[in-house]
Amino acid sequence: MRTRSIAFLTAVLLGSPLAVSANCTIDLASDDMMRFDQASVTVSASCPTITLNLKHTGKLEAKVMGHNAVIAPSDVWQAAAQDGLKAGLENDYVVPDDARVVAHTKVIGGGESTSISFPGNALKAGTPYMFFCSFPGHWAIMKGELQVVE
Ligand code: CO
């Protein structure tokens, strides 16, 4: 029974283009230099779940050099970032329930990690998105492109 299950699982994995080609994970790292380690990441809207992992490898506290990762369409991300400033650290510098924001992590400080998951179909293939840190003063340079494929 166990052998059969493994054989079946293997067949499913090999037979599905999703399993071999879809990128369903975004791994971002940042440090005390106010930048992400990547300028562009690609994910698939076909993913049942997309996981975004953010790691802060610096030493500074969240209130001094906090980072989060916010995803929003390219045409509205700057407005969402500007409005997020007023929302404050208690709201992770994102307006609560901001319809422009697809997903966002909490703000973390040096040595911390955080992770969020959201459905792939929250993103539209072919639509340009940005990921950015909405901490005050960071988003101007702490940003990258999120490419979404089918
Ligand atoms: Co930041």
Side-chain angles (χ1 to χ4, degrees):
M1 194 58 194
R2 171 179 276 183
T3 309
R4 244 185 94 184
S5 300
I6 291 170
F8 175 70
L9 185 62
T10 304
V12 168
L13 291 175
L14 292 175
S16 163
L18 184 64
V20 289
S21 66
N23 181 21
C24 300
T25 304
I26 302 170
D27 282 311
L28 291 174
S30 54
D31 56 21
D32 291 336
M33 297 300 288
M34 209 194 294
R35 61 182 53 184
F36 287 118
D37 64 336
Q38 293 170 87
S40 177
V41 296
T42 302
V43 288
S44 169
S46 311
C47 297
T49 301
I50 293 173
T51 302
L52 191 168
N53 301 312
L54 173 65
K55 186 194 260 184
H56 189 326
T57 60
K59 292 197 184 329
L60 297 172
E61 292 177 77
K63 63 183 179 189
V64 179
M65 182 56 70
H67 300 314
N68 63 1
V70 183
I71 294 172
S74 294
D75 56 346
V76 294
W77 78 273
Q78 287 185 321
Q82 276 163 350
D83 292 343
L85 293 184
K86 300 166 214 149
L89 180 59
E90 66 271 27
N91 289 307
D92 298 304
Y93 296 108
V94 175
V95 175
D97 301 316
D98 190 334
R100 295 166 297 192
V101 171
V102 176
H104 72 90
T105 70
K106 64 178 184 174
V107 172
I108 57 172
E112 296 180 314
S113 295
T114 189
S115 185
I116 51 160
S117 293
F118 57 96
N121 63 14
L123 298 167
K124 244 176 97 181
T127 296
Y129 293 86
M130 296 291 286
F131 64 87
F132 60 96
C133 173
S134 65
F135 193 91
H138 287 201
W139 58 266
I141 56 167
M142 200 169 173
K143 62 179 193 261
E145 292 176 4
L146 176 66
Q147 321 273 356
V148 182
V149 297
E150 289 289 345

